[in-house]
Amino acid sequence: MAFPQPKPQAPQLPQHLLRTIDCQQGAVRAVRFNADGNYVLSCGSDKSLKLWSVSQGTFLKTYSGHGYEVLDADGSYDNSQICSCSSDKSVILWDVATGQVTRKLRGHAGKVNCVQFNEEATVILSGSIDGTVRCWDTRSRRFEPIQVLDEARDSISSLKVAQHELLTGSVDGRVRRYDLRMGQLHVDFVNSPITCVCFSQDGQCTLSSSLDSTVRLLDKSTGEMLGEFTGHKMKGYKLDCCLSSKDTHVLSCSEDGFVYCWDLVEVCSPLCFKVLNTRLINTFVMVSSRNECLVSHTLGGRKPRCFRIRKFKSAGGESSFRRQVLESYFLIFGHLASDWITTT
Amino acid sequence: NMARDDDGDEDFVTFGTALEPLEDGRPLRKPIPLHEQTVKDEKGRYQRFHGAFTGGFSAGYFNTVGSKEGWTPSTFVSSRQQKADKHHARPEDFMDEEDFGEHGIAPRQITTSLEFSSSRRDEAAERAKAVGAQAALIPGDTLLEELISPAKSSIGVELLRRMGWREGQGVGPRVKRKPRRQQQAEGGTKAYGCMLPPAGSEDSEDEYEEFAPDNVTFAPKDVTPVDFSPRLGVQGLGYRGLDPGLALLGRGADEHIDLFRPQSESRSRLFGDARSSVRRGGVAGQAFGVGALEDDDEDVYHRDSMSRYDTVLGGEEPGDGLFGWTAPQQYTKKKDKSKDASYLGKILEGFTLAQNPPEEKVIFPPPALPSNYRPVHRFRPQVDVSRLSGVSPALAQALKTSRGHMIKEDPQQEGRHQLDSGQRRTMLGEDALKGETHSSGFYAGSDVDICMDHHLFRCDLRPAETWRGSNASTQTFKPFEKTPSKQARYDLYLDRLRQGDTDALEQSLDQTMTEWERSREREEFVRASVLYRPSSSSLSSRFTSAKHKEDEDSVEVNRDEEGDVDDKQNAVKMKMFGKLTRETFEWHPDKLLCKRFNVPDPHPGSGVVGLPKVKRDKFSVFNFLSVMESREMAGGSTQGVLVSEQSHGLEPEPSEKKTAGDEEEQQEEDEEQEEEESRPSMDLFKAIFASSSDEKSSSSSEESNDEEDRKDKEEGKTDLQPANLFTITTSSVTTSSVTTSSVTTSSVTTSSVTTSSVTASSVTTSSVTTSSVTTSSVTTSSAITSNSHTGAGCSAHPTACVRVRVCVCVCVCVCVCVCVVENLSSSLLFPGAASYQKSAQEELEFGPKLPPPSTPAGEHRPPPSSTIIANTSTARLLSR
């Protein structure tokens, strides 16, 4: 039963606090959606990784086994596995249901900042402060990485995989894109430590935020800059940026406690929504495929918050209420007490 | 669809507040200590264990058997007046209380007697009883009980009745019934049109309850209690014993057996409603065989199928029931649980695996080449950049240099690749191309030309670059020796490469061969030429790795100025992203990685992984020296690779730019100021120290562990030292090409300079330098011998110790410089000596800070002829 698609509406910002989840895992280091946006993984500084249901906000499972705070996590496409990385230099592959450690991969020389599955969850890619990206095989029982990408000259801060491409952002101020199909490495010089990189949903652009308080949208093939988003403050912390699910908006965290939201085309005026009144130390933004936005931040009280906004047509009764839901933002806030990205 | 999704969210309603998740970090229970681990019996009494052979557990009464008398037998006493009463012993008398339960002896308790049991027919109890009857060995054995009912009703029933209870009602407070319509709306099922109300309406009461006014309350419905009586028989789950209804009335047996519904047909069959029986009477069932009167015997063994059983609790699928089983698919379709079922391991509650497979990737095949495609190169028209107006100089430069590959050379050298095709043509003495020589019409656009240009010459650009300018004599390796003709072609190819021929490869190939053979050979040649490069170019590949390109660029810019930034930084500042900031390298993913990513290997057959040109091995001091040598052999080009590499550190060094000739004069002046200000990059230090440790460990087995530790300490200190290193090495290297005698003098000069720079720290540095050089290269024993002498002197005069040690270091410095020069060719290693010097140096560093010692020139001991010292002298000095 297909309902007629509602008219596109002007973007709105999340206004309504939907739910607050107390993660109870100290400072939240990262919050990530799974592949379909139904679940949330929260990485805590108390060495634990927790799985939450988005729709109900219920707690599902704790994964403990890391030796130090968990810094990033990713879920496989079929939800059956989770990989996470930690300050204890290890990458762990988890079985979701049992919570058992399937693999514990050691090899990085420093703490591992970011981790990603490839599309079919056959490879785990992890980027570390030692400047290398390691490609771990999940199929074989080999404990050495398949390949070590050591082109970066400083810490790898962010890492994304899309199909046959691997995008890394490094503190040496370069965005590297490894194209496996072409066998090429493209290096884009940005001249400022990169905090976060991501692909656009159409796969034609890359978005990178750097410590010069700028988010740049670069053309993937040529490296030309398509858009530059400023206005926020990003000077010393590793804050995230992302694109909305239809590439209509650019979101970035800011050190002033706001999440900034720009229209992709009309760059000029950033819409920013304040996440909480108090000053944010660190935020993470992630937008799921259903255009739910997840922001994590914990204050002194360590209360992650969730927001959801619903936009619907003004006319219509109860039944039309349900059908006109366009987008929903789901925001969780987490707090980071210490700076873990150091600029060189 | 959206609405559906949303409904999915709304389906779950969470009541109340969730429990706090159990903290995993909750404190573990303390293990019970041994002395508190006690055994108790069922009643909580302590039992004392005496050991298996000494009586086991105590039985109470101070380890007797549970009575005051213990095992004392009672004597049989019987008299005329007092007869001994007959004692009926029960098994319980001989058993422990704890064992009663084990043997099925139930505890005695008060139960309701028959007098108080119910007289009226209790529907619920009857139903429950009927279930029990089904499970009983002989079904229907409750029949008699039902027929004969007590005349009195039980007290409980009487009490209830007094309270207003009526038969057929449920027990409990009276309730208000909600209107039926509302319930339906909440359930989410809607009936459209003239559809009949849902079939399974439980009872017709609800029909008129719709019109019930608000202020009327109703008694709750009578609910059949679910009987959870255990199955006691040994029969299987589906077993049915002799069914009296079946046996006596001869009804058909093939019905659905509902294990969970007590309202069974058999009971209703017992009372009344006699249906027309198909079967004749007779005893049938699983307990009996075929009766004599039976003529059909298919039912003998009662083929039972699991389809007749419910496998889940609960009734039918709680669908809306609008259509029944012939409903359209979207109504009857259940959720596909096969995925979850296939998943090994139990699924988390509230968690489902992803239902939708990941989206299919659309991979577009490469475009089909047109049939008249000819892979030939056509020179693109030269772009006159100067004529383009309104283009910034940076962009113009980028346009000029853009060749698809980022090969940049010094503008002074004006490398071959900086030239465009026209300039190259004139250099080669070729005629200008006449117009469109290959007018195939397809490739009018210049983009195609660039592309072809790029692809055709991509393969031989690199070898050409590396082979250029190298001497023919260095080539000794012949990869194709087995086939002389091929080797000849290869040599020809190399020759052409050296001459800087652009299409060396094409020209050197045999034109008579087939295209396939040629393409293979082309590949082989290119690979061979890359692999077996002359040493200088292979070294250059080490130093000018592709990833250092921009640093090289920054060298060309005058770095001494304060506002110094690279081109790229400028480009970033001007926000000119794109060509100026983008670099593209050839990158080889691992084969397995390609496999895992479902991508064909982009460079099939290449054994390289990662960036092909980057060599990751650290350069040792030998390489370091040989580079200088080769540089001098090549003709004293001062802008060597090493210099550029080295000066990408903090400060450029003025001495590097001097030629070998005036280096010695400049040395003395430069030295002093360099000691304070200039310092080579950390890489250089690291490389030297790391290599020394490598070589030491590889060459010597007599190294002890504590020496390793010291080495580590020393490495950790490297950043404290001013950079005297580079000048010393240069001097030694410079002199290496000259005669030995002059070398000696020069190095002595250096050392004297070092001594004249009187601070202790500078001396330390020099000693570090020498030690590093020594460890990596060679030592003559002479230096050590002299040191051992001084070491002895130190022990004799502790007050002059530091000073003497400084002298030692100076001596070491001098000697080592000499030694390096003398024994450069020989690769003899004496690690003991190195460690010795290190120890001396270390002592100096840890020693008390004294005013700078003035070392008289007389302290220099000329190195005696070589006498090898062992580690003993080191140990002696260390023991101090």
Side-chain angles (χ1 to χ4, degrees):
Chain A
M1 272 193 256
F3 298 104
Q5 289 290 317
K7 274 196 301 187
Q9 295 190 347
Q12 287 180 25
L13 291 172
Q15 293 159 349
H16 169 59
L17 172 71
L18 178 79
R19 192 177 286 117
T20 302
I21 299 175
D22 190 353
C23 292
Q24 292 196 336
Q25 43 185 167
V28 179
R29 293 294 184 193
V31 183
R32 300 281 181 247
F33 273 117
N34 76 327
D36 52 5
N38 283 326
Y39 303 99
V40 165
L41 290 159
S42 64
C43 309
S45 59
D46 69 339
K47 313 170 192 176
S48 71
L49 176 72
K50 287 188 176 179
L51 179 70
W52 307 85
S53 163
V54 171
S55 56
Q56 299 167 67
T58 49
F59 166 74
L60 296 178
K61 198 152 182 78
T62 302
Y63 302 90
S64 46
H66 272 299
Y68 206 52
E69 51 186 21
V70 188
L71 294 179
D72 196 4
D74 190 27
S76 68
Y77 72 98
D78 60 350
N79 292 354
S80 67
Q81 289 178 317
I82 292 173
C83 62
S84 65
C85 62
S86 158
S87 290
D88 65 355
K89 309 176 190 176
S90 70
V91 174
I92 290 187
L93 179 67
W94 305 89
D95 185 77
V96 170
T98 61
Q100 297 293 309
V101 176
T102 312
R103 300 275 148 77
K104 191 159 189 175
L105 306 160
R106 299 170 194 274
H108 278 295
K111 57 183 183 182
V112 191
N113 285 336
C114 44
V115 73
Q116 281 267 305
F117 274 116
N118 73 334
E119 215 167 13
E120 298 183 332
T122 51
V123 179
I124 297 174
L125 297 127
S126 60
S128 160
I129 205 167
D130 64 0
T132 62
V133 173
R134 279 164 206 262
C135 313
W136 310 92
D137 195 0
T138 61
R139 293 289 184 86
S140 71
R141 298 203 65 83
R142 219 169 77 157
F143 283 95
E144 295 84 42
I146 305 174
Q147 190 172 355
V148 180
L149 316 175
D150 52 358
E151 282 79 23
R153 271 174 286 163
D154 210 327
S155 163
I156 302 280
S157 57
S158 180
L159 170 83
K160 290 283 152 45
V161 187
Q163 295 191 357
H164 57 272
E165 285 172 324
L166 167 64
L167 191 68
T168 66
S170 169
V171 181
D172 64 4
R174 283 164 184 84
V175 177
R176 291 180 175 78
R177 182 167 62 88
Y178 298 87
D179 194 330
L180 268 86
R181 189 174 282 277
M182 293 292 291
Q184 281 180 333
L185 163 64
H186 305 278
V187 183
D188 284 323
F189 183 74
V190 178
N191 195 26
S192 177
I194 309 287
T195 59
C196 184
V197 289
C198 56
F199 284 109
S200 65
Q201 311 296 328
D202 62 353
Q204 298 299 313
C205 311
T206 64
L207 191 75
S208 59
S209 62
S210 52
L211 285 188
D212 53 356
S213 300
T214 312
V215 179
R216 291 184 179 87
L217 186 74
L218 301 178
D219 188 278
K220 201 178 78 176
S221 53
T222 62
E224 282 159 14
M225 190 165 72
L226 302 176
E228 188 175 36
F229 306 95
T230 51
H232 63 299
K233 184 187 169 202
M234 195 186 284
K235 292 284 182 201
Y237 294 93
K238 183 195 180 299
L239 304 180
D240 284 6
C241 66
C242 63
L243 281 155
S244 65
S245 68
K246 296 222 168 69
D247 283 342
T248 53
H249 288 84
V250 173
L251 282 92
S252 173
C253 304
S254 171
E255 286 173 20
D256 58 6
F258 289 91
V259 171
Y260 282 68
C261 185
W262 295 269
D263 194 286
L264 188 84
V265 187
E266 293 163 28
V267 181
C268 47
S269 59
L271 301 156
C272 49
F273 58 89
K274 196 155 204 171
V275 169
L276 280 174
N277 283 328
T278 356
R279 182 177 172 272
L280 289 191
I281 310 289
N282 202 357
T283 36
F284 302 95
V285 165
M286 192 176 181
V287 174
S288 77
S289 53
R290 297 196 300 188
N291 216 10
E292 286 179 330
C293 173
L294 186 77
V295 176
S296 91
H297 155 252
T298 326
L299 283 177
R302 290 176 187 155
K303 285 264 183 187
R305 296 262 171 119
C306 325
F307 280 101
R308 174 177 278 194
I309 182 175
R310 291 191 160 169
K311 282 170 260 164
F312 46 89
K313 265 186 189 168
S314 53
E318 195 180 329
S319 59
S320 65
F321 166 81
R322 291 192 173 174
R323 287 166 195 171
Q324 299 300 333
V325 171
L326 257 185
E327 293 169 336
S328 58
Y329 294 102
F330 178 79
L331 310 174
I332 295 181
F333 299 94
H335 162 116
L336 192 59
S338 65
D339 51 338
W340 64 275
I341 184 164
T342 50
T343 61
T344 54
Chain B
N1 279 336
M2 280 185 183
R4 259 199 174 182
D5 284 349
D6 197 58
D7 278 348
D9 284 351
E10 301 302 307
D11 277 346
F12 302 102
V13 181
T14 331
F15 287 110
T17 49
L19 283 174
E20 292 280 302
L22 282 177
E23 278 305 308
D24 284 330
R26 63 178 179 271
L28 291 169
R29 272 188 207 137
K30 273 184 190 168
I32 305 161
L34 201 67
H35 63 271
E36 282 178 24
Q37 291 180 2
T38 50
V39 182
K40 293 178 185 175
D41 63 4
E42 277 179 349
K43 303 240 165 68
R45 294 173 297 207
Y46 285 103
Q47 284 204 314
R48 195 178 297 162
F49 190 61
H50 297 284
F53 295 104
T54 51
F57 284 108
S58 68
Y61 274 108
F62 312 102
N63 298 335
T64 61
V65 285
S67 66
K68 220 167 194 175
E69 296 82 28
W71 281 113
T72 321
S74 60
T75 46
F76 180 78
V77 181
S78 181
S79 64
R80 193 169 289 176
Q81 286 82 24
Q82 203 170 6
K83 292 277 183 190
D85 49 324
K86 259 191 185 166
H87 189 73
H88 291 285
R90 293 168 304 151
E92 290 94 316
D93 296 340
F94 302 99
M95 289 167 70
D96 287 337
E97 288 164 56
E98 295 89 28
D99 297 336
F100 284 178
E102 216 170 277
H103 294 277
I105 297 166
R108 309 279 157 84
Q109 63 182 21
I110 301 165
T111 50
T112 321
S113 68
L114 200 69
E115 284 176 36
F116 297 100
S117 67
S118 172
S119 61
R120 301 294 174 124
R121 278 183 62 192
D122 184 6
E123 284 278 333
E126 274 171 14
R127 281 182 205 172
K129 241 183 247 171
V131 179
Q134 284 295 307
L137 206 62
I138 304 167
D141 64 349
T142 54
L143 199 63
L144 204 65
E145 199 182 323
E146 282 165 4
L147 288 173
I148 307 158
S149 59
K152 283 167 74 181
S153 63
S154 73
I155 282 184
V157 174
E158 287 297 323
L159 283 172
L160 274 173
R161 213 172 268 148
R162 294 272 170 89
M163 288 164 73
W165 175 77
R166 300 285 154 81
E167 246 175 282
Q169 288 179 347
V171 180
R174 296 173 76 82
V175 290
K176 238 182 210 176
R177 293 242 167 106
K178 283 179 194 167
R180 213 177 135 72
R181 200 183 299 134
Q182 194 187 333
Q183 286 176 353
Q184 200 178 34
E186 276 194 352
T189 60
K190 295 172 204 73
Y192 297 101
C194 55
M195 194 70 66
L196 283 170
S201 70
E202 303 250 326
D203 28 13
S204 52
E205 280 177 349
D206 293 350
E207 293 288 317
Y208 55 83
E209 272 168 16
E210 275 187 38
F211 313 105
D214 285 345
N215 53 356
V216 177
T217 55
F218 293 90
K221 273 194 228 167
D222 197 9
V223 185
T224 308
V226 180
D227 184 35
F228 290 112
S229 60
R231 261 189 93 79
L232 296 171
V234 291
Q235 297 87 12
L237 195 64
Y239 175 81
R240 265 210 293 193
L242 183 64
D243 187 352
L246 194 73
L248 302 172
L249 303 170
R251 290 206 182 89
D254 201 8
E255 286 156 291
H256 186 87
I257 302 162
D258 197 344
L259 289 175
F260 307 111
R261 187 156 298 176
Q263 188 75 35
S264 75
E265 296 85 356
S266 61
R267 223 185 107 259
S268 61
R269 251 182 259 130
L270 278 175
F271 308 99
D273 67 340
R275 284 184 289 171
S276 61
S277 66
V278 188
R279 287 179 54 139
R280 286 174 296 152
V283 177
Q286 285 175 330
F288 294 85
V290 184
L293 301 171
E294 297 285 339
D295 46 12
D296 47 348
D297 54 356
E298 72 268 18
D299 266 354
V300 178
Y301 296 112
H302 190 74
R303 281 184 294 268
D304 211 62
S305 65
M306 284 311 285
S307 65
R308 304 195 310 145
Y309 293 93
D310 279 334
T311 50
V312 282
L313 270 172
E316 287 294 313
E317 191 72 16
D320 46 16
L322 292 180
F323 300 104
W325 61 275
T326 53
Q329 207 192 357
Q330 68 234 34
Y331 283 91
T332 52
K333 201 177 74 178
K334 289 176 190 171
K335 280 197 173 176
D336 186 20
K337 297 214 170 152
S338 60
K339 190 136 205 240
D340 283 5
S342 68
Y343 177 65
L344 296 174
K346 71 173 199 285
I347 307 269
L348 276 173
E349 199 180 331
F351 181 83
T352 48
L353 293 180
Q355 300 290 333
N356 306 326
E359 280 180 23
E360 288 277 321
K361 291 184 265 197
V362 185
I363 297 170
F364 297 102
L369 292 175
S371 57
N372 53 354
Y373 172 73
R374 283 199 295 163
V376 284
H377 173 63
R378 192 173 57 84
F379 291 109
R380 63 194 175 120
Q382 185 182 345
V383 181
D384 196 352
V385 186
S386 58
R387 264 187 228 162
L388 292 170
S389 58
V391 175
S392 70
L395 182 61
Q397 184 65 24
L399 279 174
K400 215 172 174 181
T401 56
S402 68
R403 286 291 187 281
H405 272 267
M406 299 305 287
I407 293 157
K408 287 181 184 169
E409 293 181 17
D410 304 346
Q412 306 100 303
Q413 290 190 351
E414 204 58 24
R416 184 167 52 85
H417 303 290
Q418 301 297 109
L419 306 175
D420 60 16
S421 59
Q423 284 168 298
R424 257 180 274 150
R425 196 188 311 137
T426 51
M427 281 175 77
L428 292 169
E430 286 176 0
D431 292 335
L433 291 170
K434 294 168 194 75
E436 302 247 341
T437 36
H438 313 286
S439 56
S440 49
F442 265 95
Y443 316 108
S446 60
D447 286 354
V448 184
D449 293 340
I450 299 166
C451 186
M452 285 171 61
D453 188 4
H454 170 88
H455 280 297
L456 271 179
F457 291 102
R458 192 183 65 171
C459 48
D460 57 354
L461 276 177
R462 289 175 194 283
E465 187 191 23
T466 53
W467 278 90
R468 227 179 93 249
S470 61
N471 289 351
S473 60
T474 51
Q475 166 64 18
T476 50
F477 189 82
K478 296 192 186 303
F480 306 109
E481 231 163 0
K482 284 177 185 169
T483 46
S485 60
K486 197 172 180 181
Q487 178 65 40
R489 281 198 296 277
Y490 180 64
D491 288 342
L492 182 67
Y493 165 58
L494 291 188
D495 279 342
R496 286 178 193 274
L497 271 186
R498 271 180 218 113
Q499 288 158 20
D501 209 340
T502 21
D503 41 14
L505 193 52
E506 292 299 322
Q507 288 187 9
S508 51
L509 289 179
D510 191 1
Q511 297 302 319
T512 56
M513 288 198 298
T514 62
E515 182 61 37
W516 182 77
E517 282 174 320
R518 255 183 292 165
S519 67
R520 269 196 59 172
E521 209 165 273
R522 205 177 292 143
E523 223 168 86
E524 280 178 88
F525 281 7
V526 169
R527 211 173 300 149
S529 62
V530 170
L531 278 176
Y532 310 112
R533 276 178 295 211
S535 62
S536 66
S537 58
S538 70
L539 270 171
S540 76
S541 81
R542 280 180 195 178
F543 291 116
T544 58
S545 58
K547 52 181 266 187
H548 286 294
K549 277 283 195 221
E550 56 268 13
D551 288 336
E552 223 175 272
D553 291 348
S554 64
V555 169
E556 289 159 20
V557 184
N558 193 2
R559 290 187 65 106
D560 292 339
E561 288 175 22
E562 186 45 44
D564 172 31
V565 272
D566 316 329
D567 287 348
K568 282 183 176 180
Q569 282 173 324
N570 280 326
V572 169
K573 271 186 184 169
M574 291 186 289
K575 299 186 177 170
M576 289 177 61
F577 286 87
K579 268 177 188 157
L580 295 169
T581 56
R582 162 66 64 102
E583 283 172 300
T584 301
F585 306 107
E586 188 184 333
W587 177 69
H588 295 250
D590 195 276
K591 231 186 202 172
L592 186 61
L593 197 65
C594 293
K595 208 170 157 187
R596 292 278 183 262
F597 272 82
N598 281 335
V599 161
D601 195 347
H603 306 284
S606 80
V608 197
V609 170
L611 292 174
K613 275 189 79 177
V614 181
K615 290 264 162 74
R616 302 295 295 169
D617 26 326
K618 297 166 185 163
F619 50 94
S620 65
V621 169
F622 281 120
N623 297 338
F624 185 73
L625 298 173
S626 63
V627 168
M628 307 291 269
E629 266 182 337
S630 66
R631 217 180 74 208
E632 283 179 5
M633 281 166 72
S637 67
T638 48
Q639 279 284 354
V641 207
L642 180 71
V643 173
S644 66
E645 170 72 19
Q646 197 263 335
S647 61
H648 88 340
L650 293 174
E651 282 111 355
E653 297 189 36
S655 68
E656 291 160 10
K657 290 176 180 152
K658 279 154 200 152
T659 50
D662 56 351
E663 210 163 29
E664 280 192 34
E665 290 96 50
Q666 295 286 344
Q667 201 88 55
E668 292 185 41
E669 300 147 32
D670 288 340
E671 197 112 25
E672 277 184 272
Q673 62 190 42
E674 273 172 10
E675 272 170 15
E676 285 96 41
E677 58 187 28
S678 71
R679 140 201 290 204
S681 73
M682 271 307 294
D683 294 344
L684 198 59
F685 275 110
K686 269 188 195 157
I688 288 166
F689 284 109
S691 67
S692 73
S693 67
D694 285 348
E695 288 191 15
K696 213 199 280 184
S697 59
S698 63
S699 61
S700 70
S701 56
E702 63 226 11
E703 284 276 343
S704 56
N705 280 334
D706 53 351
E707 272 174 340
E708 294 279 337
D709 294 342
R710 263 181 280 125
K711 213 189 310 165
D712 290 344
K713 277 185 210 160
E714 197 173 295
E715 276 179 18
K717 270 178 214 136
T718 44
D719 50 348
L720 298 169
Q721 291 141 13
N724 206 4
L725 164 70
F726 193 72
T727 44
I728 284 178
T729 9
T730 354
S731 74
S732 63
V733 169
T734 318
T735 48
S736 69
S737 59
V738 210
T739 58
T740 325
S741 60
S742 71
V743 166
T744 326
T745 52
S746 77
S747 56
V748 165
T749 334
T750 322
S751 62
S752 68
V753 168
T754 324
T755 46
S756 64
S757 65
V758 277
T759 59
S761 65
S762 69
V763 175
T764 316
T765 344
S766 67
S767 72
V768 170
T769 321
T770 47
S771 71
S772 68
V773 170
T774 325
T775 46
S776 59
S777 56
V778 200
T779 351
T780 44
S781 39
S782 56
I784 319 304
T785 329
S786 68
N787 287 336
S788 67
H789 291 316
T790 46
C794 284
S795 59
H797 308 284
T799 46
C801 188
V802 175
R803 187 171 159 179
V804 175
R805 261 181 248 140
V806 170
C807 301
V808 168
C809 297
V810 171
C811 289
V812 167
C813 172
V814 174
C815 300
V816 163
C817 287
V818 175
C819 302
V820 167
V821 173
E822 279 180 348
N823 296 312
L824 231 140
S825 53
S826 71
S827 58
L828 249 148
L829 283 177
F830 292 104
S835 64
Y836 178 81
Q837 284 158 12
K838 270 188 199 165
S839 68
Q841 179 263 330
E842 201 180 49
E843 280 197 20
L844 183 75
E845 280 201 357
F846 285 121
K849 292 206 172 174
L850 288 184
S854 61
T855 26
E859 292 266 347
H860 286 290
R861 292 167 193 232
S865 60
S866 49
T867 39
I868 301 168
I869 63 138
N871 269 333
T872 49
S873 64
T874 322
R876 189 160 38 138
L877 193 74
L878 270 176
S879 62
R880 289 186 60 254

